[in-house]
Amino acid sequence: MAHVIPFKAVRPSRDKVGLVASRSYQDYSVEELRFQLEHNPFSFLHIINPGYKFQKEIAGNKRFQLVKNRYLEFKEEGVFIQDPEAAYYIYETVSRNQTYCGIIAATSVEDYEKDIVKRHEDTISHRENLFKDYLQTVGFNTEPVLLTYPDSAVINSISAEIKAERPEYEFSSLNRDTHYLWVVNDPDKTAKIKAEFDKMPAVYIADGHHRCASSWLLAKESEENNPEHTGKEPYNYFMSYLIAESNLKLYEFNRLVTDLNGMSKKEFLMQLDEWFRIENRGTEFYKPSKKHHFSMYLDGEFYSLYLRKTSYEFTDSLSALDPYILFVKVLKPLLGIDDPRNDLRISYLPGRNESFEVKKAVDEGAFAVGFGMLPLTIEEVKQIADEGLTMPPKSTYIEPKLRSGLTVYEF
């Protein structure tokens, strides 16, 4: 059973929420970040970029402590207020083309340890420990782990009932998305939501593997340092945003490589021919239409690459994934990309961008070749997790992407 419980969120006051909530820090260009910091004193970016106050770049533990200080200032000034009662939070975003709706809650770190919260990616230990130290110093988390669960008629019914009422928040962001949040603290409704999650044998990490792993590390360390540990302390949970599988949107990541590893174009195509049937598509934009089909942009032309299935052996669910096939048959043996997570010769472009972005990157000379594929399905992701396997880095780009500062979980 999945332990998903309500919690007392720290939230922006209703009149300031549209000013406080921000995109992920990494999503801002230098110019956008500077504009927000200069013109919006309520932006959550001031908390996670505390050096701006002193016009100085600050890193490490000193930065962590200043993040905590800025957060406490927001609470002291009444920008952030903690709810008096534990609640679930229904959060919905509406864009021109898509609506996402899920539940912000606290999920058990023990479930992560027991593989009830299932993962499909490897994590890097130094990043886990860095974020664990960050959490330990600041004492709060504002970026929920994105979890997904099988569609539930009960949760859908409760959500529809609650969404018929006036939301606590309703605001628009600069990208024209509209954001809604409802506070669910009615004991009967919270009990029904909890009971429904209790029935689920597993939930799956869609995005946020490192945040989840860091929360688990923090819980283990906190337990060791707390002789009065009961298992109910806030550090035994992490903030999550749970969304039904049917409401997730999965995109692929295109691969861009800076060079052909010393090969000429002709040599590279001859090497590819062993594993793929190659068709030159000329300057016509090409995107794959089937699993195990790939697109390639090289030297001003698009190519289609069809896997020769008579030569390739499918041994498990991982071997059938297109990102894995591209890695083991092209990126590693031909282009010399042994570590796709850290090799500076490879970059990744979310498939939600159009094909011309791959073409543009290659035509401008930053890269020699680009590859595309179909996005994975949620069924493929779940199968990898169920079998205890891990996908290559950047196998999926998953939406929704969540805003920071909307709800805060304190330890």
Side-chain angles (χ1 to χ4, degrees), residues 284-315:
E284 172 192 357
F285 281 100
Y286 173 74
K287 292 196 74 171
S289 59
K290 294 182 180 179
K291 190 174 171 63
H292 309 323
H293 289 190
F294 302 85
S295 64
M296 180 175 72
Y297 185 70
L298 172 68
D299 193 27
E301 296 178 310
F302 283 93
Y303 294 81
S304 58
L305 309 179
Y306 301 150
L307 180 69
R308 298 185 189 277
K309 296 180 183 178
T310 54
S311 302
Y312 184 83
E313 183 180 1
F314 298 102
T315 57

Side-chain angles (χ1 to χ4, degrees), residues 108-119 205 212-213 216-217 219-220 223 236 238:
S108 168
V109 294
E110 187 178 10
D111 285 353
Y112 176 78
E113 184 176 20
K114 290 181 176 180
D115 201 35
I116 295 171
V117 174
K118 291 183 174 288
R119 67 209 85 169
I205 301 175
C212 204
W216 175 75
L217 286 175
K220 296 296 106 181
E223 179 181 351
N236 291 289
F238 60 91

Side-chain angles (χ1 to χ4, degrees), residues 372-388:
M373 66 202 83
L374 286 182
L376 300 182
T377 65
I378 188 60
E379 289 75 23
E380 289 177 302
V381 173
K382 288 175 63 178
Q383 189 172 3
I384 291 291
D386 288 340
E387 294 179 14

Side-chain angles (χ1 to χ4, degrees), residues 219-231 233 235:
K220 296 296 106 181
E221 190 169 301
S222 299
E223 179 181 351
E224 292 172 1
N225 295 330
N226 182 7
E228 306 296 327
H229 174 83
T230 65
E233 295 84 359
Y235 59 69

Side-chain angles (χ1 to χ4, degrees), residues 316-335:
D316 55 20
S317 57
L318 178 61
S319 68
L321 294 185
D322 286 344
Y324 180 82
I325 293 170
L326 189 67
F327 173 63
V328 298
K329 294 304 177 188
V330 181
L331 298 179
K332 183 174 182 178
L334 303 186
L335 297 178

Side-chain angles (χ1 to χ4, degrees), residues 202-221:
V203 294
Y204 295 80
I205 301 175
D207 192 19
H209 284 77
H210 281 90
R211 278 169 279 157
C212 204
S214 299
S215 296
W216 175 75
L217 286 175
L218 176 66
K220 296 296 106 181
E221 190 169 301

